[in-house]
Amino acid sequence: MIDTADAEPEYDDDAMRFLEALWGDGYLSPGGPEEVDRVLEGIDLRGKTVLDVGCGAGGITLHLVERHDAGHVTGFDVELPVVEAARMRAQKRGLSDRATFIHAAPGPLPFADQSFEVVFSKDALLHVPDKDALFAEIFRVLKPGGVFAASNWMIGHDGEPSPDMKAYVAAEGLSFAMASPARYAAAMRGAGFEKVETRDRNPWYREVARRELEQLRGPLYQKVAAVVGAPYVDKNIHTWEAMQKVLDSGEHRPTHLRGWKPDSSP
């Protein structure tokens, strides 16, 4: 069972407007299309069926169609506001025939066994507490010989978080269930994935987040405050300050993941 906190949407209109002002139209995680391309480096999506787990506002899902020429991408998210925004974005860009967005309550993925050739996710899996159940579901819906590729926010260890990490998670106010790269890799192997790879992205995001904080304190402040209000921006500046501490210490470790489902054919 995949489970997340059963509460009001965490990514409401204000959250979407704020994050898109920082990260780009339709993007609710850092790095924009360039970081998506890095996650997918060496993977050919042309003509393939792809599942985007935790699709958010749809910017990434549509990028997989427009830039990577995926045959059809299904974006899935447990939060209705972002799915509705993604559907509108696909319609405006004339891509509704190649990008479908599904909303469902937390639980098993609402797809049949072996439905997709590629499963992708960008900074969404940290909201799922049960990593073993998560990867069992991803493995189930992936076709034999298919690949899973993702980026995710992680913690550098599986022990008690430091006071700085606890302060950062509290500042975010989101349903974070962070685990280490080793824990994710073990859950993937336990589900049956082979050739499991992890790639540390802390050095990259540590510097990107520093620039984001400078922008929020300076040239972006008035622009974003005009959209979501100054108190909302002030709150997020505090969050970025708390995040920078755990990025600098190395405890916050954004990481790329990759693994393959064995090909069952002779």
Side-chain angles (χ1 to χ4, degrees), residues 6-236:
D6 184 13
E8 291 297 313
E10 296 183 347
Y11 294 89
D12 57 14
D13 287 344
D14 281 346
M16 281 188 277
R17 286 195 292 263
F18 172 79
L19 295 174
E20 288 177 350
L22 195 61
W23 290 331
D25 182 50
Y27 284 80
L28 305 184
S29 63
E34 293 80 13
E35 184 66 0
V36 173
D37 294 344
R38 294 184 195 104
V39 174
L40 291 167
E41 189 173 301
I43 298 175
D44 187 357
L45 298 188
R46 287 176 295 179
K48 292 184 177 177
T49 54
V50 182
L51 173 63
D52 181 7
V53 177
C55 64
I60 291 173
T61 308
L62 300 182
H63 178 73
L64 302 183
V65 173
E66 292 174 320
R67 175 68 179 271
H68 292 269
D69 199 25
H72 189 276
V73 185
T74 301
F76 168 73
D77 208 290
V78 300
E79 299 213 339
L80 185 57
V82 298
V83 170
E84 291 176 337
R87 288 170 178 162
M88 290 179 60
R89 185 167 278 109
Q91 185 175 19
K92 288 179 181 177
R93 283 153 71 167
L95 293 172
S96 296
D97 58 333
R98 295 180 64 189
T100 303
F101 294 93
I102 303 296
H103 167 258
L109 291 171
F111 307 105
D113 295 356
Q114 302 182 16
S115 294
F116 302 97
E117 294 167 281
V118 179
V119 175
F120 176 88
S121 185
K122 179 72 165 65
D123 303 331
L125 305 183
L126 78 163
H127 296 293
V128 183
D130 190 336
K131 310 305 181 189
D132 295 310
L134 167 68
F135 285 107
E137 279 294 288
I138 291 172
F139 190 86
R140 178 183 66 79
V141 303
L142 195 60
K143 292 179 182 291
V147 61
F148 165 75
S151 170
N152 200 47
W153 285 17
M154 304 186 193
I155 189 170
H157 57 87
D158 289 309
E160 183 76 8
S162 71
D164 281 345
M165 178 60 82
K166 290 179 179 178
Y168 162 58
V169 173
E172 286 279 13
L174 301 172
S175 58
F176 280 9
M178 298 177 82
S180 71
R183 175 71 185 94
Y184 274 88
M188 290 177 66
R189 292 188 183 99
F193 282 98
E194 296 182 342
K195 296 186 287 184
V196 174
E197 303 171 2
T198 64
R199 181 184 180 191
D200 182 17
R201 296 296 285 156
N202 171 278
W204 165 76
Y205 191 53
R206 187 170 65 238
E207 297 309 314
V208 170
R210 202 181 312 279
R211 293 194 295 271
E212 291 170 350
L213 181 56
E214 291 172 357
Q215 290 288 307
L216 286 172
R217 286 170 171 162
L220 267 182
Y221 187 93
Q222 293 300 331
K223 176 184 175 181
V224 180
V227 177
V228 296
Y232 196 95
V233 181
D234 292 339
K235 171 188 176 296
N236 278 280

